[in-house]
Amino acid sequence: MKRLHIRVKGVVQGVGFRPFVYNLAKSLNLNGYVTNTSKGVTIEIEGEKVNEFLNRLRNEPPPLAKIYSIDTEELPPNNYQSFDIIESIDDAGFTHVSEDVSICNDCLRELFTPSDRRYLYPFINCTNCGPRYTITLKVPYDRANTTMSVFNMCADCLKEYKDPSNRRFHAQPNACPVCGPQVRLFLKTDRGLKELENPVLEAIRLIKQGKILAIRGLGGFHLCCDAKNEKAVEELRKRKKRSNKPFALMSPHIESVEKFCFLSEAEKRILTSPTRPIVLLRKRPECMLPDMLALKNSCLGFMLPYTPLHYLLFYYPEQKEDSLLSLLQPSVLSPQPFEIPMQPHFEALVMTSGNISEEPIITKNEEAIEKLGNVADAFLLHNREIFMRVDDSVVRELEGNIYFIRRARGFVPKAISLREQLPEVLGAGADLKNTFTLIKSNYAIMSQHIGDMENLETLEFYEEVLNNLKLVYRIEPVAVGHDLHPMYFSTKWAKEHAEKKTIPAFALQHHYCHIASLMAEYGLDELFGIAFDGTGYGTDGSIWGSEFLYCSVDDFIRLAHLKPISLPGGESAIKECSRIALSLIDDAFGEDMSLIKKLPVAMTMEENKIRQILKLKKLSQFSPPSSGMGRLFDGVSSLLGVCHYNTFEAEAAIALESLIEASMEYSEKACYSFSIAEKETSSLVIDYTFMIKQLIDDFLAGKPVSEISWKFHNTIIKIIIELTQYFRKKLGFDRAGLSGGVFQNAFLIKETIKALKKIGIEPLYHINVPSNDACISLGQAYIVGKRLKKPSANQRSC
C-alpha cells in the first residue's frame, strides 16, 4: 500500500477538478481526500493503484482544467477508510482563477429540452461552463466567495451541488428558475419605464421592430439591434456617437457567419472554442449586411453566442410550451455537438459594448438606465451581480492560432507562465489600450482590457481591477514600472502609487517595453526586435514609433528608425491625416500647389487652409517630428484618398490595408524605393522620400489604389527584411521580435513572418497578449522583476 500527498497548481478550481479526482479515486478503489486551498488543490491518496491515479491525473484532467505543476511527497500509510471531498482551506497562498466559459454542449441541450427543469432558463450552467472571473470576489472559489452567495439553492439544486457524481457538483453559480437569478425587461415610454411580461420573447419582438436594447450579460452590458436592419444600425451609431468604429456582431451558428464572411478551419475552431472571442473575418463580396457596420473595412468581427441568454435571443420558441416538444426528447447527455432544431430569429445581431464613448463597459442596472437612457429603447436586465467588468475579447487567426487584438473575456485572468520566479511587481501600462500586469512567483497576471486612461471612470475601473487581482492573487508589489512619458495618466498614477507605498518606480521607454513583452513570453534575456506603432515617447524627448532595437534586461540600443515626419498642428494631425499627407508631399516635392491640386487631399480643404498647414509645418514648435510608422500609414492613406480623418485609432491604416486583395502576397519586386543613411548617433535612418514620389506617380498614372497600397505594404516589409539582414551580420542573432499596433495589420504580420522565415530568421510574435499598447505592462513588469532579481544589473531608467 502506498500513500501520496499531492499538490496541484493551475486552473483547478471551479472546473470540476475535485469531482474528477473523487470519481477517479473511487474507480481505482483508492482512499484519502481532496480539497481546495488558496494555493491550488491538495490530494492525499492511498492504495494499490496510486501510480495509475497519478498518471491519469496528469493526462486526463477535466476539459477546463489547466495543470501547471504537480508536486508529490510519499508518506507512511494512514489507513484511510474512504475517499472524501473536504471543505476548502484558506491557507494564505494563491491559486489561479478560472476565466469565464461559454455555455457547454450539455447545458445547451438541457436549455432547449422541454422536459428539463431548466428549460429556457437564462442562467443554466454546470461545472464545465458559465461565469467564473466576473463573479469571483476572492479565493478559494466557493459559492460564499461569489456574487451567487445571495441566492439560496433550492432542494433540487443543493442535491446536485452535493453529489460528486453530478456534473453540477460544486458548480458555484448553480441555480434554476426556482432559486436563481431572473431576467426582466423594461421598455422606455413617455411615462417612464414599463416592465413587460415574457421578457425574452418581448425582447425578440422589439429587436425585430428595429429597436435598440441594452442587455446585461456576463461581464457588462451590450447594445443590441438587428444587424440586417440598416436603419437600426444607423440609429445606434448616431445615438452612441460611435463615428466609424466597427460594431461587433453575433450570429447563432457557423453557417450564418459563412453567409457574410470567409471562414478557414482554424477560424471556425476559434469561433466555436469555449472562449468564444470576437474573430475578425474577411467579408464576402456578396455580404448582405449594411456597410456602416464596418466602414472602409474588409473585415467584420463575429462571435457566437456564449451565454444561455444569447441563445434564447436567437432561438426562444414563439409558443413556449409546444414549439420544441415534437423535436426534442428528454435530455440525454452526449459528446456530440448539439444543434438546435429550429430556425433562429436573426442571422446576425449587433452586440457592441454597452458604454459611453471611451468609458468602461457598464455593469450595474441603475447605471445602464441612467447612462444609456438616450441610446437604448429597452433594457433587458438581470439580478446576478457582476463583480468584475470584462469586455469581449477580439482576435484574428495567425498561423492557425489566436492573435490578440483585445484580451479580455474568456482569457482573463489566465496567468502567463514565465520561465523563472520573479519578485512581486506591477507594470502600470500605457495610456492607450491600457492593461496592467502583476507578477507572482513565475506567473504574470495581466488585467483585462482597461481602455484609454483619459477619464475618471477609466481610472476608477483600473483601480477596481487592480485591487481585486491583488486580493485574489495575494500580491503586494515591491516595485512598479511605468512609461517614460511624463504626461501619461498611467505614469502620473504609478509615481503617486509608488510614493504612497514607498516602493521604487522605474521609468521605461515605450518601445523597449514592447520588445520586453516578447522577451517575457519567450523567456529571453535579450532580443533583436522591431516595434512599429503610432506614438511612443523617446529617450530624446521626441516621438518614436518605427524602432529597430536590440534589447536586454539591462538596457536597449536604438539601431534604426524612420526619418521623422513633421506633424502640422501636433495632435490635430494624428486625427486629421490629410495634414500628414501634405507634410509628406512637401518633403518630397516642396510646396507645389499645382501637384497638390491633382491629389485627393486638395478635395478635403480649401487652398488657403492648405497653405496655412504647409506654413505651420515649418514651425517646429507647432509641428513636432514623429518617427511613428503609424503616422506614415495615416499619411499614405490620405494621399491616396482612402481616409483623411481618423474617427478612431488606426482607422486610416485599416482602410488602407483593406484595399489589398486576399490573393495578394509579398513580393520584393513590387516595392517602392527607399534609402538608409547613418546618423552621427550611429543609428540608421530610413528615408521614405523616394517611396512617396513613386507612390504619387503611380496614383497620377491611374494605377489602382489597391495595387499602390499593396506596393506600399511590400516596401515596409522589404525595409524590415533588409535591416534585419544587415543587423544580423553585425550582431549575430537568428530571431526577430515583432511588436506594436502596426503589426495588427493582417497583411503586414503574415507576410513579414513568411519573409523572415525565408531568410532563415525565426519570427517571434505575441501569443498571449496583443501586439498593441496592451502588451506594454507585461514588458514593464518583466524588466522590473528581472532587474530586482539581479541587483548588480544597471537599474537606471531607460
Side-chain angles (χ1 to χ4, degrees):
M1 180 178 289
K2 187 176 181 181
R3 175 187 169 206
L4 283 183
H5 182 82
I6 303 170
R7 293 173 296 277
V8 186
K9 292 184 178 180
V11 182
V12 288
Q13 293 189 17
V15 292
F17 198 81
R18 285 180 299 171
F20 158 73
V21 168
Y22 175 89
N23 289 310
L24 177 59
K26 286 288 189 182
S27 70
L28 297 174
N29 294 316
L30 298 171
N31 295 326
Y33 69 85
V34 60
T35 185
N36 278 343
T37 78
S38 296
K39 296 178 181 178
V41 166
T42 295
I43 305 165
E44 283 215 359
I45 199 78
E46 185 177 72
E48 300 296 332
K49 297 183 178 180
V50 168
N51 290 338
E52 183 179 347
F53 172 89
L54 191 60
N55 183 56
R56 291 177 64 179
L57 183 73
R58 294 181 191 277
N59 299 312
E60 302 173 15
L64 299 181
K66 299 176 184 68
I67 296 176
Y68 298 151
S69 67
I70 298 178
D71 297 319
T72 62
E73 179 185 2
E74 187 165 355
L75 299 174
N78 195 48
N79 196 30
Y80 288 111
Q81 298 301 306
S82 63
F83 192 88
D84 301 304
I85 298 172
I86 64 175
E87 290 296 319
S88 298
I89 301 170
D90 190 344
D91 53 0
F94 91 101
T95 191
H96 298 269
V97 179
S98 173
E99 55 272 17
D100 298 290
V101 184
S102 68
I103 182 173
C104 71
N105 191 52
D106 293 330
C107 282
L108 186 60
R109 179 180 289 102
E110 291 174 350
L111 181 65
F112 289 102
T113 298
S115 61
D116 194 278
R117 71 187 188 91
R118 292 184 176 87
Y119 175 52
L120 304 182
Y121 180 55
F123 302 95
I124 188 172
N125 69 85
C126 69
T127 310
N128 298 321
C129 68
R132 299 289 195 278
Y133 176 55
T134 50
I135 65 169
T136 300
L137 304 173
K138 60 181 181 178
V139 293
Y141 177 68
D142 290 330
R143 192 178 180 97
N145 295 333
T146 73
T147 61
M148 285 296 295
S149 62
V150 298
F151 299 99
N152 295 318
M153 282 182 277
C154 65
D156 289 334
C157 286
L158 193 59
K159 182 180 178 182
E160 296 169 333
Y161 184 83
K162 291 184 174 181
D163 181 1
S165 66
N166 192 291
R167 83 174 198 280
R168 291 191 169 90
F169 173 74
H170 280 212
Q172 308 306 342
N174 190 33
C176 73
V178 174
C179 62
Q182 303 293 329
V183 294
R184 301 170 71 185
L185 179 66
F186 295 88
L187 178 67
K188 270 171 49 183
T189 70
D190 294 338
R191 297 183 178 181
L193 294 178
K194 176 185 177 183
E195 184 168 6
L196 303 181
E197 295 182 4
N198 301 317
V200 178
L201 198 56
E202 285 299 307
I204 293 167
R205 182 181 63 81
L206 290 172
I207 296 170
K208 287 181 176 180
Q209 290 176 358
K211 303 296 185 184
I212 298 166
L213 267 64
I215 300 174
R216 194 184 198 192
L218 194 62
F221 274 80
H222 281 124
L223 287 166
C224 172
C225 71
D226 184 352
K228 296 180 77 172
N229 187 324
E230 190 165 359
K231 288 184 179 179
V233 174
E234 184 178 6
E235 187 64 21
L236 175 56
R237 192 171 288 285
K238 177 182 173 183
R239 292 186 194 176
K240 199 183 176 190
K241 300 175 184 176
R242 186 61 181 260
S243 61
N244 298 331
K245 197 171 184 179
F247 283 137
L249 303 171
M250 180 180 284
S251 276
H253 44 55
I254 287 289
E255 291 74 21
S256 288
V257 179
E258 284 188 301
K259 292 180 181 179
F260 310 118
C261 296
F262 296 104
L263 271 177
S264 67
E265 288 304 311
E267 287 166 337
K268 290 179 183 178
R269 175 172 47 79
I270 295 169
L271 271 171
T272 56
S273 68
T275 56
R276 295 289 168 93
I278 298 168
V279 184
L280 300 185
L281 305 167
R282 198 169 185 97
K283 291 181 194 174
R284 290 185 179 274
E286 67 275 17
C287 177
M288 299 300 290
L289 292 174
D291 288 339
M292 66 181 63
L293 287 169
L295 293 164
K296 297 182 181 179
N297 198 321
S298 61
C299 292
L300 291 171
F302 268 99
M303 58 181 156
L304 296 183
Y306 56 87
T307 70
L309 184 57
H310 292 149
Y311 274 103
L312 293 175
L313 288 172
F314 283 108
Y315 290 108
Y316 201 93
E318 297 283 358
Q319 300 296 324
K320 179 178 175 181
E321 297 306 323
D322 58 23
S323 179
L324 291 176
L325 283 172
S326 61
L327 301 171
L328 289 170
Q329 300 300 316
S331 178
V332 178
L333 302 187
S334 164
Q336 297 303 314
F338 175 62
E339 295 183 7
I340 301 168
M342 61 186 293
Q343 290 299 310
H345 297 290
F346 311 98
E347 287 190 313
L349 292 172
V350 171
M351 282 286 184
T352 189
S353 298
N355 63 342
I356 302 301
S357 182
E358 306 309 329
E359 291 186 9
I361 190 170
I362 291 169
T363 61
K364 303 289 185 183
N365 290 337
E366 301 78 10
E367 185 185 10
I369 292 169
E370 177 189 349
K371 289 192 172 183
L372 301 178
N374 294 325
V375 182
D377 298 303
F379 298 85
L380 188 58
L381 309 177
H382 66 72
N383 59 336
R384 184 179 67 199
E385 289 303 313
I386 300 167
F387 183 64
M388 270 293 104
R389 69 185 86 204
V390 183
D391 279 287
D392 294 310
S393 293
V394 184
V395 307
R396 66 176 359 127
E397 177 271 332
L398 180 62
E399 294 198 310
N401 297 311
I402 283 175
Y403 186 63
F404 284 100
I405 307 298
R406 182 170 74 199
R407 183 179 184 267
R409 176 191 51 77
F411 299 96
V412 174
K414 179 183 178 182
I416 298 165
S417 182
L418 304 174
R419 306 294 172 91
E420 61 184 304
Q421 291 194 10
L422 296 176
E424 294 184 6
V425 298
L426 166 66
D431 260 25
L432 298 179
K433 306 287 188 294
N434 178 272
T435 66
F436 64 79
T437 297
L438 293 161
I439 287 183
K440 176 83 171 186
S441 183
N442 58 324
Y443 298 103
I445 298 102
M446 180 181 279
S447 73
Q448 62 264 47
H449 168 80
I450 300 292
D452 298 348
M453 301 284 287
E454 62 179 28
N455 55 55
L456 179 61
E457 289 81 4
T458 306
L459 178 60
E460 289 173 345
F461 177 32
Y462 182 100
E463 293 181 331
E464 170 189 311
V465 181
L466 176 61
N467 290 333
N468 178 55
L469 286 178
K470 283 170 61 180
L471 175 66
V472 167
Y473 285 98
R474 304 183 188 209
I475 299 173
E476 194 52 57
V478 297
V480 59
H482 61 80
D483 199 273
L484 192 61
H485 199 306
M487 300 308 292
Y488 270 7
F489 293 104
S490 56
T491 297
K492 293 176 181 178
W493 180 90
K495 287 182 174 180
E496 291 172 4
H497 180 76
E499 185 176 349
K500 179 181 176 182
K501 297 287 186 178
T502 62
I503 59 175
F506 291 74
L508 301 165
Q509 202 279 325
H510 188 92
H511 303 98
Y512 174 39
C513 291
H514 266 295
I515 304 306
S517 66
L518 283 167
M519 292 162 61
E521 288 192 82
Y522 289 90
L524 304 174
D525 285 342
E526 57 183 39
L527 178 65
F528 168 78
I530 302 150
F532 285 175
D533 64 6
T535 300
Y537 191 81
T539 54
D540 58 3
S542 68
I543 305 170
W544 292 8
S546 54
E547 311 312 308
F548 290 77
L549 307 172
Y550 199 85
C551 301
S552 72
V553 169
D554 300 331
D555 211 338
F556 73 92
I557 303 169
R558 192 186 193 199
L559 300 170
H561 58 87
L562 281 180
K563 183 184 82 168
I565 306 166
S566 293
L567 303 181
E571 288 290 327
S572 297
I574 295 175
K575 290 189 177 292
E576 193 178 352
C577 3
S578 51
R579 290 171 178 255
I580 302 177
L582 289 171
S583 185
L584 292 173
I585 296 167
D586 186 59
D587 284 345
F589 297 98
E591 193 171 329
D592 188 340
M593 287 304 302
S594 61
L595 172 64
I596 292 171
K597 288 178 180 179
K598 297 176 185 177
L599 298 172
V601 68
M603 301 176 189
T604 67
M605 61 184 78
E606 295 179 356
E607 182 176 335
N608 185 47
K609 183 178 178 180
I610 291 173
R611 293 188 183 277
Q612 287 177 348
I613 290 171
L614 291 174
K615 184 178 180 180
L616 189 67
K617 173 182 179 283
K618 295 171 176 60
L619 303 174
S620 58
Q621 66 268 39
F622 301 115
S623 299
S626 165
S627 61
M629 183 62 75
R631 301 291 80 85
L632 182 61
F633 272 76
D634 288 345
V636 170
S637 185
S638 178
L639 271 179
L640 299 176
V642 179
C643 180
H644 299 295
Y645 195 90
N646 279 318
T647 66
F648 63 91
E649 189 185 11
E651 179 179 359
I654 292 169
L656 185 65
E657 178 205 349
S658 292
L659 296 173
I660 301 174
E661 296 174 12
S663 60
M664 289 178 167
E665 296 181 336
Y666 167 65
S667 169
E668 61 179 336
K669 296 179 180 178
C671 294
Y672 294 115
S673 300
F674 57 90
S675 64
I676 298 173
E678 189 167 338
K679 285 176 60 179
E680 292 180 4
T681 58
S682 77
S683 63
L684 303 184
V685 178
I686 307 148
D687 192 336
Y688 47 78
T689 308
F690 300 111
M691 176 181 69
I692 297 301
K693 288 180 176 179
Q694 293 172 342
L695 185 149
I696 289 174
D697 286 344
D698 275 357
F699 181 82
L700 294 176
K703 289 192 177 179
V705 178
S706 59
E707 181 182 329
I708 299 172
S709 175
W710 173 58
K711 288 177 70 175
F712 168 71
H713 280 75
N714 286 345
T715 307
I716 303 304
I717 296 171
K718 189 174 182 182
I719 290 169
I720 292 170
I721 299 304
E722 287 196 6
L723 283 173
T724 301
Q725 289 177 309
Y726 173 79
F727 290 121
R728 173 170 59 176
K729 289 178 182 177
K730 291 190 71 173
L731 302 172
F733 55 81
D734 58 4
R735 53 193 170 195
L738 306 173
S739 188
V742 172
F743 282 113
Q744 293 194 319
N745 178 311
F747 180 87
L748 191 69
I749 186 68
K750 288 181 180 180
E751 296 305 314
T752 298
I753 286 171
K754 289 195 288 187
L756 285 171
K757 288 180 177 178
K758 194 173 180 180
I759 63 169
I761 291 288
E762 179 189 2
L764 302 185
Y765 55 87
H766 292 285
I767 50 178
N768 295 302
V769 299
S771 67
N772 61 29
D773 281 7
C775 75
I776 292 289
S777 66
L778 176 60
Q780 292 168 342
Y782 186 68
I783 292 299
V784 172
K786 291 282 284 185
R787 289 186 184 180
L788 290 181
K789 188 177 179 181
K790 183 183 172 187
S792 61
N794 177 9
Q795 293 190 12
R796 71 175 179 85
S797 301
C798 291

Coordinates of all heavy atoms in Angstrom, one line a residue, residues 439-469:
I439 N 3.1 40.4 -11.2 CA 3.9 39.2 -11.2 C 3.8 38.6 -9.9 O 4.0 39.2 -8.8 CB 5.3 39.5 -11.7 CG1 5.4 39.8 -13.2 CG2 6.2 38.3 -11.3 CD1 6.8 40.0 -13.7
K440 N 3.6 37.3 -9.9 CA 3.5 36.4 -8.7 C 4.3 35.2 -9.0 O 3.9 34.4 -9.9 CB 2.1 36.1 -8.3 CG 2.0 35.2 -7.1 CD 2.1 36.0 -5.8 CE 1.7 35.1 -4.6 NZ 1.7 35.8 -3.3
S441 N 5.4 35.0 -8.3 CA 6.2 33.8 -8.5 C 6.7 33.7 -9.9 O 7.3 34.7 -10.4 CB 5.4 32.5 -8.1 OG 6.2 31.4 -8.2
N442 N 6.3 32.7 -10.7 CA 6.7 32.6 -12.1 C 5.6 32.8 -13.0 O 5.5 32.2 -14.1 CB 7.4 31.2 -12.4 CG 6.5 30.0 -12.1 OD1 5.8 30.1 -11.1 ND2 6.6 29.0 -12.9
Y443 N 4.6 33.6 -12.6 CA 3.5 33.9 -13.4 C 3.2 35.4 -13.5 O 3.5 36.2 -12.6 CB 2.2 33.3 -12.8 CG 2.2 31.8 -12.8 CD1 2.5 31.1 -11.5 CD2 2.1 31.0 -13.9 CE1 2.5 29.8 -11.5 CE2 2.1 29.6 -13.8 CZ 2.4 29.0 -12.6 OH 2.4 27.6 -12.6
A444 N 2.8 35.8 -14.7 CA 2.4 37.2 -15.0 C 0.9 37.2 -15.1 O 0.3 36.4 -15.9 CB 3.0 37.8 -16.2
I445 N 0.2 38.0 -14.3 CA -1.2 38.1 -14.3 C -1.6 39.4 -14.9 O -1.4 40.5 -14.3 CB -1.9 37.9 -12.9 CG1 -1.6 36.5 -12.3 CG2 -3.4 38.1 -13.0 CD1 -0.5 36.5 -11.3
M446 N -2.1 39.4 -16.1 CA -2.5 40.6 -16.8 C -4.0 40.9 -16.7 O -4.8 40.0 -16.7 CB -2.1 40.5 -18.3 CG -2.5 41.8 -19.1 SD -2.1 41.7 -20.8 CE -0.3 42.0 -20.8
S447 N -4.3 42.2 -16.4 CA -5.7 42.6 -16.3 C -6.4 42.4 -17.7 O -5.8 42.3 -18.7 CB -5.8 44.1 -15.9 OG -5.4 44.9 -17.0
Q448 N -7.7 42.5 -17.6 CA -8.4 42.6 -18.9 C -8.2 44.0 -19.5 O -7.6 44.8 -18.9 CB -10.0 42.4 -18.6 CG -10.6 43.5 -17.7 CD -10.6 43.0 -16.3 OE1 -9.7 42.5 -15.8 NE2 -11.8 43.2 -15.6
H449 N -8.7 44.2 -20.7 CA -8.6 45.4 -21.4 C -9.2 46.5 -20.5 O -10.4 46.4 -20.2 CB -9.3 45.3 -22.7 CG -9.5 46.6 -23.4 ND1 -8.6 47.3 -24.2 CD2 -10.6 47.4 -23.5 CE1 -9.1 48.4 -24.7 NE2 -10.3 48.5 -24.3
I450 N -8.4 47.5 -20.1 CA -9.0 48.6 -19.3 C -9.5 49.8 -20.2 O -10.5 50.3 -20.0 CB -7.9 49.2 -18.4 CG1 -7.4 48.0 -17.4 CG2 -8.4 50.3 -17.6 CD1 -8.4 47.6 -16.4
G451 N -8.7 50.1 -21.2 CA -9.2 51.2 -22.2 C -8.2 52.3 -22.2 O -7.0 52.2 -21.8
D452 N -8.6 53.5 -22.6 CA -7.8 54.6 -22.7 C -7.9 55.5 -21.4 O -9.0 55.9 -21.0 CB -8.2 55.5 -23.9 CG -8.1 54.7 -25.2 OD1 -7.4 53.6 -25.2 OD2 -8.6 55.2 -26.2
M453 N -6.7 55.7 -20.8 CA -6.6 56.4 -19.5 C -6.8 57.9 -19.6 O -5.9 58.7 -19.3 CB -5.3 56.0 -18.9 CG -5.0 54.6 -18.7 SD -5.9 53.8 -17.3 CE -5.0 54.5 -15.9
E454 N -8.0 58.3 -20.0 CA -8.2 59.7 -20.2 C -9.3 60.3 -19.4 O -9.6 61.5 -19.5 CB -8.4 60.0 -21.6 CG -9.6 59.4 -22.2 CD -9.8 59.7 -23.7 OE1 -8.9 60.0 -24.4 OE2 -11.0 59.7 -24.1
N455 N -10.0 59.5 -18.6 CA -11.1 60.0 -17.8 C -11.2 59.3 -16.4 O -10.6 58.2 -16.2 CB -12.5 59.9 -18.5 CG -12.7 58.4 -19.0 OD1 -12.7 57.5 -18.2 ND2 -13.0 58.2 -20.3
L456 N -11.9 59.9 -15.5 CA -12.0 59.4 -14.1 C -12.6 58.0 -14.1 O -12.2 57.2 -13.3 CB -12.9 60.4 -13.3 CG -13.1 60.0 -11.8 CD1 -11.7 59.9 -11.1 CD2 -14.0 61.0 -11.2
E457 N -13.6 57.7 -14.9 CA -14.3 56.4 -14.9 C -13.2 55.3 -15.2 O -13.3 54.2 -14.6 CB -15.4 56.4 -15.9 CG -16.6 57.2 -15.5 CD -16.5 58.7 -15.9 OE1 -15.4 59.1 -16.5 OE2 -17.4 59.5 -15.5
T458 N -12.4 55.5 -16.2 CA -11.4 54.5 -16.5 C -10.4 54.3 -15.4 O -10.0 53.2 -15.1 CB -10.6 54.9 -17.8 OG1 -11.6 55.2 -18.9 CG2 -9.7 53.8 -18.3
L459 N -10.0 55.4 -14.8 CA -9.0 55.3 -13.7 C -9.7 54.5 -12.5 O -9.0 53.7 -11.9 CB -8.6 56.7 -13.2 CG -7.7 56.7 -12.0 CD1 -6.4 56.0 -12.2 CD2 -7.4 58.2 -11.5
E460 N -10.9 54.8 -12.2 CA -11.6 54.0 -11.2 C -11.7 52.6 -11.5 O -11.6 51.7 -10.7 CB -13.0 54.6 -11.0 CG -13.0 56.0 -10.3 CD -14.4 56.7 -10.3 OE1 -15.3 56.2 -11.0 OE2 -14.5 57.6 -9.5
F461 N -12.0 52.3 -12.8 CA -12.0 50.9 -13.3 C -10.6 50.2 -13.1 O -10.5 49.1 -12.6 CB -12.4 50.9 -14.7 CG -12.5 49.5 -15.4 CD1 -12.8 48.4 -14.7 CD2 -12.2 49.4 -16.8 CE1 -12.8 47.1 -15.3 CE2 -12.2 48.2 -17.4 CZ -12.5 47.0 -16.7
Y462 N -9.6 50.9 -13.5 CA -8.2 50.5 -13.3 C -8.0 50.1 -11.8 O -7.5 49.0 -11.5 CB -7.3 51.6 -13.7 CG -5.8 51.3 -13.7 CD1 -5.1 51.0 -14.9 CD2 -5.1 51.4 -12.5 CE1 -3.7 50.7 -14.8 CE2 -3.7 51.2 -12.5 CZ -3.0 50.8 -13.6 OH -1.7 50.6 -13.6
E463 N -8.3 51.0 -10.9 CA -8.0 50.7 -9.5 C -8.9 49.6 -9.0 O -8.5 48.8 -8.1 CB -8.2 52.0 -8.7 CG -7.1 53.0 -9.0 CD -7.3 54.3 -8.2 OE1 -8.4 54.6 -7.8 OE2 -6.3 55.0 -8.0
E464 N -10.1 49.5 -9.5 CA -11.0 48.5 -9.1 C -10.5 47.1 -9.4 O -10.5 46.2 -8.6 CB -12.4 48.7 -9.8 CG -13.4 47.6 -9.7 CD -14.6 48.0 -10.6 OE1 -15.1 49.1 -10.6 OE2 -15.0 47.1 -11.4
V465 N -10.0 46.9 -10.6 CA -9.5 45.6 -11.1 C -8.2 45.3 -10.4 O -7.9 44.2 -10.0 CB -9.3 45.6 -12.6 CG1 -8.7 44.3 -13.1 CG2 -10.6 45.9 -13.4
L466 N -7.3 46.4 -10.2 CA -6.0 46.1 -9.6 C -6.2 45.7 -8.1 O -5.6 44.7 -7.7 CB -5.2 47.5 -9.6 CG -3.9 47.4 -8.8 CD1 -3.0 46.4 -9.4 CD2 -3.2 48.8 -8.9
N467 N -7.1 46.3 -7.4 CA -7.3 45.9 -6.0 C -7.9 44.5 -5.9 O -7.6 43.7 -5.0 CB -8.3 46.9 -5.3 CG -7.7 48.3 -5.1 OD1 -6.4 48.4 -5.0 ND2 -8.5 49.3 -5.1
N468 N -8.8 44.2 -6.9 CA -9.4 42.8 -6.9 C -8.3 41.8 -7.2 O -8.2 40.7 -6.5 CB -10.5 42.7 -8.0 CG -11.1 41.3 -8.0 OD1 -11.5 40.8 -7.0 ND2 -11.0 40.8 -9.2
L469 N -7.5 42.0 -8.2 CA -6.5 41.0 -8.5 C -5.4 40.9 -7.5 O -4.9 39.8 -7.2 CB -5.9 41.3 -9.9 CG -6.8 41.0 -11.1 CD1 -6.1 41.4 -12.4 CD2 -7.2 39.5 -11.1

